[in-house]
Amino acid sequence: MKRIVYSILSLLAVLPSWGGQQERVRHTMRRATQYMMEVASYKGGFVWSYLPDYSRQWGELEAWRTMVWLQSPSTPDVGQLLLDAYHATGDKYYYDCACQVAHCIIRGQLPCGGWNYMFDYVSEENTKRWYATIGHQAWRLEEFQHYYGNATFDDEATSHSAEFLLRIYLEERDSAFLAPLQRAISFFLESQYADGGWPQRYPLMYDHPFRGKADYSSFVTINDDVMPQNIDFLLQCYTSLGMEELREPILKAMHCLRSLQQPEPLSGWADQYSAAPDNINIRYPAHARSYEPAAVNTGTTTAMIQLMLKFFRQTGDKSFLAGIPQAIRFIESQQLPSEWITKLGRRPLNEGEILVPRFIDIVTNKPLYVHRKGSNVVNGEYYTDSIPEGTIAHYSSFFTANPSALRKALQEAQALDTNQLRAHSPLKKADHSGPLDYYYNQSNGPARYPYRPDVEQIISSLDNQGRWMTVFRQISNPYKPIPADMPTQSDDRRYSQSMVGDEYDTSPFENHHVKGISTRTYIWNMVALINSIR
């Protein structure tokens, strides 16, 4: 009894200080959000980072002040965070801010129902000028060197925007968000191929053949989670809105991904697939950017194994497990000699891990290693060969796999009761609708935002303007037109393993000396503060 009384008294003693920290947390959250919404954002939209005087700002590339970025971590992520803050605090200010973000995202929604990587509030002509200057000269970011004018599933630009509209609509069932959400859902369905796959961009366009190869934007795409994220969004709509008509497109997409596994000996998955000339339902591994050859990708194969396990748990369908043993054997067959770890300057491997080449040629069944020469978009060139040394730094030619862990996960899945899985499947008949996770960052945050700083440190590091000043991860060279007399060929090897080329290259590169305002840091810190008061 004395122990119980002592425990209660001890708890009562700390309650005032705990309550005081709660108030400080709420105050910090509010000040930081006011700064981000009223100063950093442009009409409710965000990019990735800003200099303190807003003379320069960046998304994946340098952005203009009137631009809104939709690739993470940016506008949709801030919207999701604001809803989390609303749930944690009950302060309607955060919901109102989230609505402002939603209206901004709707402003950038294209007539087709999807989104591009970014948009400019001024005009589409401004966006085109950006593509013709900063975008065009980003040597290693070839996806920005051509303006299509359509929507992209790449880097989750469309899926994350649509996902946020779904969540904010479900919050209050505000009709202002229903029509844009319905347009987005229709876009996902309209853009899906008959076999269940999705292209990288839609409406389909073929106007950018590059360096002698076909425009890849119509290819069925796994890379950067295009198909997995599209499936996930439709599944969220199915379970939260009770849209029974989405069940078939979801299952069709799941089985399409399963069917894209290649036969032995390369029984893995590629990043993208082109259709056979005489049969659109036959898919072959295909190229994308200059440093993404037509190949089976060991990293993508590992991700697809994990996805097949997830599909099995969601459906109870054992066909999703059928190809996994062959895929694991394929990965193991690519193991590189242990002495290469030191030779290539790789980190020591953990137990069960092996080092493998990333790309395996579908014709020769041999590794492809990616290199580059030159200095910018005019004279730069990417190429593949059989030499593992001196590969490019911004897109690794290697992957660290753990076949033992994959095999264990498969064994655990095989032991599950399929009847129970089917009974609890999110894809059983959608006879009612229900809410999404109350906290977006509860299910999505830890993987995306692993930062867990001390709460007191977060509070004390907010400056008197309401900013968390951060050393940037990356900056870029200011745009500078390439001279007309620049040679179109070069054997320059100075930039073969750097993130950026010469002064004309607008690609981002690492920099640890410039400080400013980071949307990512704001999100990370807010997630930690929200978790401390939930």
Side-chain angles (χ1 to χ4, degrees):
M1 183 65 179
K2 288 182 180 179
R3 182 177 299 172
I4 295 174
V5 171
Y6 178 77
S7 298
I8 293 173
L9 290 174
S10 299
L11 176 61
L12 291 174
V14 302
L15 279 176
S17 60
W18 178 79
Q21 188 190 57
Q22 290 273 303
E23 287 306 309
R24 293 173 64 227
V25 165
R26 290 169 182 266
H27 179 66
T28 300
M29 289 171 58
R30 183 70 178 255
R31 284 186 62 220
T33 301
Q34 285 175 329
Y35 179 84
M36 292 299 289
M37 292 299 301
E38 296 169 13
V39 181
S41 82
Y42 190 86
K43 298 184 179 181
F46 295 85
V47 295
W48 292 7
S49 54
Y50 310 81
L51 289 184
D53 63 358
Y54 293 91
S55 58
R56 297 182 74 192
Q57 49 274 310
W58 291 266
E60 188 164 14
L61 291 173
E62 183 165 6
W64 293 337
R65 185 67 179 117
T66 52
M67 296 182 89
V68 172
W69 226 262
L70 299 167
Q71 292 169 284
S72 295
S74 59
T75 309
D77 305 86
V78 173
Q80 297 281 17
L81 173 78
L82 292 167
L83 288 181
D84 282 359
Y86 174 51
H87 292 162
T89 65
D91 187 344
K92 194 170 182 295
Y93 167 75
Y94 294 107
Y95 176 73
D96 292 340
C97 288
C99 289
Q100 186 179 348
V101 172
H103 285 295
C104 170
I105 289 174
I106 292 168
R107 170 71 171 74
Q109 188 175 26
L110 296 169
C112 63
W115 287 264
N116 190 23
Y117 299 109
M118 89 299 285
F119 67 94
D120 193 296
Y121 255 105
V122 174
S123 66
E124 184 180 12
E125 291 304 312
N126 233 31
T127 303
K128 290 179 180 179
R129 282 192 290 272
W130 182 92
Y131 268 91
T133 53
I134 293 173
H136 179 69
Q137 287 186 199
W139 181 16
R140 67 181 174 84
L141 293 169
E142 295 171 357
E143 64 271 32
F144 293 108
Q145 293 177 19
H146 175 73
Y147 178 70
Y148 285 94
N150 59 2
T152 184
F153 289 116
D154 189 37
D155 286 351
E156 304 162 348
T158 287
S159 60
H160 276 186
S161 298
E163 186 179 50
F164 173 59
L165 287 187
L166 170 64
R167 188 160 176 247
I168 198 166
Y169 168 70
L170 291 171
E171 190 70 36
E172 299 286 346
R173 302 275 174 168
D174 187 335
S175 60
F177 304 128
L178 180 57
L181 173 60
Q182 290 173 329
R183 287 198 299 273
I185 295 171
S186 296
F187 174 75
F188 279 76
L189 298 179
E190 180 184 339
S191 58
Q192 188 178 31
Y193 286 125
D195 64 355
W198 275 283
Q200 189 194 70
R201 303 189 70 100
Y202 192 83
L204 298 177
M205 299 181 74
Y206 308 92
D207 63 342
H208 188 50
F210 190 72
R211 297 189 182 275
K213 293 184 178 180
D215 188 322
Y216 64 84
S217 62
S218 66
F219 296 168
V220 167
T221 304
I222 297 175
N223 192 32
D224 287 328
D225 281 342
V226 167
M227 284 195 59
Q229 281 295 326
N230 288 5
I231 291 170
D232 192 55
F233 170 69
L234 290 184
L235 188 56
Q236 288 180 49
C237 293
Y238 178 86
T239 57
S240 64
L241 299 174
M243 297 181 69
E244 180 66 26
E245 64 271 28
L246 298 182
R247 187 174 188 274
E248 182 180 351
I250 292 168
L251 286 172
K252 192 192 304 183
M254 287 179 167
H255 287 287
C256 174
L257 276 174
R258 185 198 64 188
S259 72
L260 293 175
Q261 183 178 8
Q262 297 300 288
E264 292 187 294
L266 304 185
S267 13
W269 282 261
D271 287 325
Q272 51 280 319
Y273 297 78
S274 60
D278 56 344
N279 189 341
I280 194 171
N281 292 317
I282 298 177
R283 305 284 181 182
Y284 295 107
H287 68 276
R289 292 174 292 188
S290 298
Y291 44 87
E292 294 169 325
V296 174
N297 185 324
T298 52
T300 300
T301 297
T302 298
M304 287 301 100
I305 291 171
Q306 294 165 340
L307 192 63
M308 293 301 112
L309 293 169
K310 177 182 177 181
F311 289 168
F312 169 67
R313 291 191 295 269
Q314 289 176 327
T315 64
D317 184 344
K318 284 190 172 181
S319 70
F320 290 115
L321 304 181
I324 292 179
Q326 298 96 303
I328 296 174
R329 289 198 298 269
F330 157 66
I331 293 172
E332 288 176 321
S333 73
Q334 301 301 318
Q335 182 174 3
L336 293 171
S338 57
E339 58 266 23
W340 282 31
I341 304 296
T342 303
K343 188 176 182 181
L344 296 171
R346 308 286 297 187
R347 66 168 176 81
L349 297 179
N350 296 320
E351 184 178 355
E353 290 182 339
I354 62 173
L355 183 68
V356 295
R358 180 176 296 277
F359 297 118
I360 309 301
D361 192 311
I362 57 175
V363 177
T364 66
N365 295 356
K366 294 181 179 179
L368 293 172
Y369 300 105
V370 185
H371 307 267
R372 75 176 184 180
K373 61 183 179 179
S375 63
N376 58 51
V377 294
V378 170
N379 59 40
E381 178 187 355
Y382 286 91
Y383 61 96
T384 60
D385 59 25
S386 60
I387 302 172
E389 291 91 357
T391 56
I392 58 174
H394 64 82
Y395 205 94
S396 179
S397 288
F398 304 92
F399 180 74
T400 301
N402 192 325
S404 300
L406 294 174
R407 193 167 277 113
K408 180 181 178 182
L410 173 60
Q411 292 168 349
E412 291 172 349
Q414 290 170 328
L416 296 175
D417 186 327
T418 54
N419 292 325
Q420 286 291 320
L421 293 175
R422 285 192 288 268
H424 295 93
S425 170
L427 278 163
K428 64 184 179 181
K429 184 174 176 57
D431 53 4
H432 67 279
S433 60
L436 299 174
D437 290 336
Y438 196 59
Y439 289 99
Y440 175 81
N441 287 292
Q442 174 177 310
S443 57
N444 296 280
R448 191 175 300 278
Y449 307 117
Y451 184 50
R452 291 292 180 269
D454 178 74
V455 169
E456 284 296 327
Q457 177 189 345
I458 293 174
I459 293 173
S460 63
S461 62
L462 192 74
D463 72 12
N464 58 12
Q465 295 186 49
R467 309 173 301 182
W468 281 300
M469 296 293 285
T470 298
V471 176
F472 288 165
R473 292 182 171 191
Q474 295 184 332
I475 62 167
S476 63
N477 295 322
Y479 169 71
K480 183 178 179 181
I482 297 177
D485 59 354
M486 173 72 68
T488 56
Q489 291 185 332
S490 172
D491 284 324
D492 193 340
R493 305 288 170 154
R494 288 176 296 168
Y495 309 103
S496 62
Q497 292 183 277
S498 66
M499 298 293 285
V500 67
D502 61 23
E503 60 189 305
Y504 303 106
D505 184 4
T506 56
S507 303
F509 56 89
E510 290 185 6
N511 182 289
H512 302 290
H513 305 288
V514 178
K515 293 186 71 173
I517 299 96
S518 163
T519 303
R520 182 191 298 271
T521 297
Y522 165 71
I523 293 171
W524 282 1
N525 286 348
M526 285 288 287
V527 167
L529 295 179
I530 288 169
N531 286 339
S532 76
I533 63 173
R534 277 171 47 182

